[in-house]
Amino acid sequence: MFASYNLLSLISIFVIAAAIVWIAGIQLSYTTDIIDTRFSLGEALGGLIFLSITTNLPEIAIVASASLTHKIGIAIGNILGGIAIQTVVLVILDGFGLRKKAPLTYKAASLQLVLEGVLVIIVLVISIMGTQLPKSIIFARLAPGDLLITAAWLIGLWLINKARTHLPWQQKGYAPDTFPATHGKRLISKLKWSTTRVILIFIISAIATLIAGVVLEESGSAIATSIGWSGVLFGSTILAAATALPEVSTGLAAVRIGDYILAISDIFGGNAFLPVLFLPATILSGQSLLPQAQKSDIYLASLGALLTAVYIYGLIFRPKQQFFYLGIDSIVVLIMYIIGIIGLFII
């Protein structure tokens, strides 16, 4: 898209697109929280469905485009490659969002979030298993791995929604000394908006995230080519940062208004949803994508599952200690991610 642009123009486009994604992400977080309140969806379910899907709109567009043009590697990389870095976004939210207040997993403790984290691991395990199936197993543009991922995701949504009222736990699955979001001043003023206005802003912000997000990734790719970066180096730096920007923006906005559950749910929800894109990607391309995954794709998917498991433990054990404004679970995740990226270059 930007192959003919010079480096200065590309950087300018990248920065402008990043600013649009950032502003749109803040509005998405605010309006999602209001929609959750108006329709009694609950912070976890709202983050799992609305916020997580809208922040992944750029990935949806790129996967669809790559599938139609049979750029299978790009489609698979966008689905599996970004889950680990999006999990690391929680480290940013923990350090820059709460600072000295308490670790993010301590403030957001909820069994619904634990269920969401388990769902992420389930769909990633099914994806890894699907990579070992023969490419020829496909009927009517449908592959078994893709169908199983989608079925697991839908069942997971149903169970998480059921957990809102049917968990035999204290305070409906919330930790005893936590409580749903305490809205900040900026959100309280927006709570007076009409439902039509809130939904309209949500839709406009989603469209802005989609368009600016695609521009962000395409200009980032052109910048990488211009400066001689490619492959794993580009994917784990510029592209990873670009694809995670919507989650950083919405997450920090959610933390600022005190909706810690929504912040984590956005990340877990997006990570659980991404593998579902294998189904439309296979339909659009006419090929079974999972069996064509590279070693690096499987490696990054496994890393994403490991990082998610650490945060699940954090949500259950709720460690209160902080080091450099980070909870113990965030420090472990950061160290594991750095080691994982070093291993990625080795393979």
Side-chain angles (χ1 to χ4, degrees), residues 7-17 223:
L7 183 59
L8 183 60
S9 298
L10 289 171
I11 293 174
S12 300
I13 293 171
F14 185 89
V15 171
I16 292 171
I223 290 172

Side-chain angles (χ1 to χ4, degrees), residues 179-242:
F179 43 84
T182 53
H183 303 307
K185 291 181 179 179
R186 279 184 290 183
L187 185 61
I188 289 176
S189 64
K190 292 176 174 57
L191 285 170
K192 299 176 183 178
W193 290 352
S194 67
T195 301
T196 302
R197 182 179 179 181
V198 170
I199 293 175
L200 183 61
I201 292 175
F202 179 88
I203 292 172
I204 293 173
S205 299
I207 294 172
T209 300
L210 170 62
I211 297 172
V214 172
V215 171
L216 196 64
E217 294 192 70
E218 291 292 332
S219 59
S221 178
I223 290 172
T225 302
S226 179
I227 62 179
W229 285 11
S230 60
V232 175
L233 184 60
F234 164 66
S236 60
T237 54
I238 293 179
L239 186 58

Side-chain angles (χ1 to χ4, degrees), residues 15-305:
V15 171
I16 292 171
I20 294 173
V21 166
W22 190 269
I23 295 169
I26 292 172
Q27 296 304 317
L28 280 173
S29 185
Y30 287 161
T31 52
T32 298
D33 204 52
I34 296 172
I35 290 172
D36 292 345
T37 303
R38 294 268 172 91
F39 295 98
S40 302
L41 296 176
E43 297 91 344
L45 196 62
L48 183 64
I49 298 176
F50 291 106
L51 199 55
S52 63
I53 293 177
T54 51
T55 53
N56 279 304
L57 282 172
E59 282 85 352
I60 295 173
I62 288 173
V63 167
S65 175
S67 301
L68 287 170
T69 55
H70 300 288
K71 295 177 180 177
I72 305 302
I74 293 176
I76 298 173
N78 264 272
I79 294 172
L80 295 180
I83 291 176
I85 185 62
Q86 287 190 178
T87 306
V88 176
V89 168
L90 291 175
V91 176
I92 299 173
L93 303 185
D94 194 3
F96 291 94
L98 275 77
R99 298 185 71 79
K100 290 184 179 181
K101 291 181 181 178
L104 180 60
T105 48
Y106 183 87
K107 298 289 285 187
S110 163
L111 290 180
Q112 293 179 51
L113 291 178
V114 172
L115 292 175
E116 288 187 24
V118 172
L119 180 58
V120 174
I121 294 175
I122 289 172
V123 296
L124 284 175
V125 169
I126 296 173
S127 300
I128 294 170
M129 292 170 66
T131 63
Q132 304 306 304
L133 295 174
K135 182 182 174 182
S136 57
I137 302 181
I138 182 172
F139 178 75
R141 290 181 174 253
L142 297 173
D146 307 338
L147 291 172
L148 190 55
I149 289 170
T150 304
W153 183 69
L154 291 172
I155 292 171
L157 289 183
W158 177 73
L159 288 172
I160 291 166
N161 183 50
K162 187 176 180 181
R164 294 176 55 216
T165 53
H166 293 84
L167 278 180
W169 287 79
Q170 188 174 6
Q171 296 188 22
K172 296 181 180 179
Y174 293 103
D177 55 346
T178 60
F179 43 84
T182 53
H183 303 307
K185 291 181 179 179
R186 279 184 290 183
L187 185 61
I188 289 176
S189 64
K190 292 176 174 57
L191 285 170
K192 299 176 183 178
W193 290 352
S194 67
T195 301
T196 302
R197 182 179 179 181
V198 170
I199 293 175
L200 183 61
I201 292 175
F202 179 88
I203 292 172
I204 293 173
S205 299
I207 294 172
T209 300
L210 170 62
I211 297 172
V214 172
V215 171
L216 196 64
E217 294 192 70
E218 291 292 332
S219 59
S221 178
I223 290 172
T225 302
S226 179
I227 62 179
W229 285 11
S230 60
V232 175
L233 184 60
F234 164 66
S236 60
T237 54
I238 293 179
L239 186 58
T243 55
L245 195 58
E247 284 76 16
V248 174
S249 174
T250 54
L252 285 175
V255 168
R256 287 193 192 102
I257 61 176
D259 202 337
Y260 308 115
I261 292 175
L262 182 64
I264 296 181
S265 184
D266 176 24
I267 302 300
F268 282 176
N271 289 346
F273 171 73
L274 277 175
V276 177
L277 296 180
F278 278 118
L279 180 61
T282 295
I283 293 173
L284 292 173
S285 66
Q287 305 177 47
S288 182
L289 269 68
L290 275 171
Q292 300 183 58
Q294 302 297 311
K295 288 182 179 180
S296 58
D297 298 317
I298 299 172
Y299 180 91
L300 286 171
S302 302
L303 178 60

